Amino acid sequence: MKRVFLSLLLGTALLCQAAAQNTPLRHHEWRLGWGDMLFETLAFHQEGSRQYNTHNSDFGYTGHIFLEYRYHLNRVVSLGIQTDFEGIFWNETPVDMYRQPTGPSVPIRNYDLSILPTVRLNCLNTDWVRLYGGFAAGLLMAFDNAKNMELAPAFNITVLGVQVGKGPWSGSLELGPMISLRNANAIYMFGSRLISVSVNYSW
């Protein structure tokens, strides 16, 4: 039974690869996408931000907005550069010991901008469907409206990516974490952008 299953699996893979060989290789690709901010929404929210002398409210999140250029060396390996941007917003109000406001609210605006060289490996490449994994490593710039800025290494691991589409236009769904930290006390992302989607154009 195992031999039959392996034979069918190998035969299917060979047929898919053979079909893909008949499709011209598009070397260039642009991707525009959006990813979740699960880590940020858990780390920055109203109930989790209560301090003795301030009250934070009206939280807002942009999600991860990313743009990537990718060059396909062949049907298996491609290299690229990706820019990822996110924003986290809230209002901070000074309060007394009874949680009553003692002054006007101040808008807090935090932004993260990451620049990540990327590598992607296709494990299945057909006319309509491509399955892949990938890795990216680069630099995160964290800044806010108080003119503070910090730098930290950033990583993105694509555990599984699915790209669907025939011709120049396609769509992608990716699963995998984005991580950025300098040390245990300076964590900017940890398990962020676990799910992301993108629209792709290749030529």
Side-chain angles (χ1 to χ4, degrees):
M1 188 66 180
K2 289 183 179 179
R3 290 182 180 180
V4 173
F5 177 75
L6 289 174
S7 298
L8 289 173
L9 186 62
L10 180 60
T12 302
L14 290 174
L15 286 173
C16 289
Q17 290 297 330
Q21 296 301 322
N22 297 324
T23 304
L25 176 63
R26 300 174 186 273
H27 286 283
H28 307 277
E29 182 178 342
W30 280 102
R31 303 175 58 219
L32 178 63
W34 181 91
D36 73 273
M37 289 178 66
L38 178 62
F39 171 80
E40 292 84 347
T41 55
L42 293 175
F44 299 94
H45 62 281
Q46 186 166 334
E47 293 302 318
S49 61
R50 295 186 181 277
Q51 301 179 21
Y52 176 74
N53 57 353
T54 61
H55 174 68
N56 298 339
S57 60
D58 302 321
F59 284 81
Y61 316 91
T62 62
H64 287 269
I65 302 168
F66 60 92
L67 179 67
E68 180 177 4
Y69 168 76
R70 182 174 298 283
Y71 182 80
H72 295 265
L73 299 174
N74 50 51
R75 297 184 186 280
V76 177
V77 182
S78 60
L79 304 175
I81 185 77
Q82 182 179 119
T83 301
D84 181 281
F85 176 82
E86 67 173 354
I88 309 166
F89 319 121
W90 68 85
N91 292 329
E92 188 173 279
T93 306
V95 296
D96 59 22
M97 61 183 299
Y98 302 107
R99 309 299 297 171
Q100 297 300 312
T102 60
S105 297
V106 177
I108 305 297
R109 303 291 181 260
N110 286 291
Y111 306 96
D112 292 329
L113 176 64
S114 302
I115 299 176
L116 306 161
T118 66
V119 60
R120 179 172 122 179
L121 300 175
N122 288 339
C123 58
L124 176 66
N125 196 340
T126 72
D127 284 350
W128 280 95
V129 179
R130 285 151 303 279
L131 300 180
Y132 60 90
F135 179 77
L139 182 69
L140 175 137
M141 292 169 280
F143 56 97
D144 59 27
N145 58 338
K147 299 183 179 180
N148 299 308
M149 189 182 78
E150 296 180 347
L151 302 176
F155 308 93
N156 182 221
I157 303 169
T158 303
V159 178
L160 176 63
V162 181
Q163 186 172 346
V164 179
K166 184 176 181 180
W169 290 99
S170 63
S172 295
L173 170 68
E174 293 184 350
L175 306 176
M178 191 167 184
I179 300 167
S180 179
L181 70 163
R182 285 189 300 155
N183 52 56
N185 297 318
I187 301 174
Y188 302 94
M189 289 181 281
F190 195 85
S192 187
R193 213 179 99 176
L194 293 172
I195 301 174
S196 60
V197 294
S198 68
V199 175
N200 320 308
Y201 180 79
S202 59
W203 74 97

